[in-house]
């Protein structure tokens, strides 16, 4: 039986909840990712997920209210904690892959944080399932 650990991205790029939203947006761009796990700055435990959707929504609100020329400055004044999604499901590395697949289908999320004892050990994305499908179909 396949497990989440068999397909997850290990040691993902993470942010601290105290990082600026500007750092979050630029990190996503630099590494071409749409989801970043966020860690509690005090204890390093999983705190939430910063999604590209939340970052873009926030950026549009800033641009509409203050103008494009104020985007960077406003984002530097906001913490990741203000925008991240904290109402997220996590899975353990040993979770059966079929359970994670059902979660993706039912919830239409693009990423699940893989957590072991409150510490982020990986992420599983919908893209990982595409890679898996290609591998299976290619055999």
């Amino acid at each position: 039986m396949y497990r989440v650990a068999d397909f997850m991205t290990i040691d993902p790029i993470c942010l601290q909840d105290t990082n600026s939203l500007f750092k979050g947006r630029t990190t996503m761009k630099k590494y071409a990712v749409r989801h970043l796990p966020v860690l509690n700055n005090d204890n390093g435990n999983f705190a939430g997920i910063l999604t590209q959707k939340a970052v873009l929504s926030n950026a549009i609100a800033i641009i509409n209210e203050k103008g494009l020329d104020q985007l960077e400055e406003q984002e530097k004044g906001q913490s990741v904690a203000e925008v991240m999604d904290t109402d997220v499901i996590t899975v353990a590395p040993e979770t059966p892959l079929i359970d994670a697949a059902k979660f993706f289908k039912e919830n239409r999320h693009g990423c699940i944080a893989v957590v072991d004892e409150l510490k982020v050990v990986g992420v599983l994305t919908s893209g990982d399932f595409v890679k898996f499908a290609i591998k299976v179909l290619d055999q």
Side-chain angles (χ1 to χ4, degrees):
M1 176 185 299
Y2 291 114
R3 308 165 304 139
V4 166
D6 299 324
F7 294 93
M8 70 182 189
T9 299
I10 59 172
D11 297 322
I13 301 156
C14 296
L15 295 171
Q16 299 292 317
D17 58 0
T18 54
N19 288 140
S20 74
L21 192 55
F22 177 75
K23 180 173 182 168
R25 181 170 58 83
T26 56
T27 300
M28 285 180 170
K29 181 178 180 181
K30 178 179 179 181
Y31 294 101
V33 296
R34 296 180 297 142
H35 309 89
L36 290 169
V38 180
L39 309 178
N40 180 294
N41 194 53
D42 295 329
N43 56 24
N45 292 342
F46 176 73
I49 297 269
L50 183 65
T51 66
Q52 183 180 50
K53 181 179 178 181
V55 171
L56 291 174
S57 177
N58 188 73
I60 289 168
I62 290 170
I63 292 167
N64 285 338
E65 184 179 328
K66 308 263 185 191
L68 179 59
D69 59 326
Q70 290 295 306
L71 178 61
E72 183 176 326
E73 181 181 334
Q74 293 295 312
E75 284 182 332
K76 285 181 178 178
Q78 289 182 290
S79 70
V80 166
E82 295 175 59
V83 179
M84 71 182 185
D85 188 356
T86 57
D87 186 25
V88 296
I89 302 294
T90 62
V91 295
E94 298 306 315
T95 300
L97 193 61
I98 187 69
D99 293 346
K102 289 176 183 176
F103 170 82
F104 278 114
K105 181 181 178 210
E106 293 166 7
N107 296 287
R108 301 182 56 91
H109 288 287
C111 177
I112 302 174
V114 184
V115 176
D116 189 15
E117 297 184 21
L118 300 178
K119 301 297 182 193
V120 174
V121 295
V123 292
L124 184 68
T125 67
S126 54
D128 293 324
F129 281 98
V130 171
K131 291 176 194 170
F132 174 66
I134 290 169
K135 178 181 174 182
V136 169
L137 294 171
D138 217 16
Q139 292 178 356

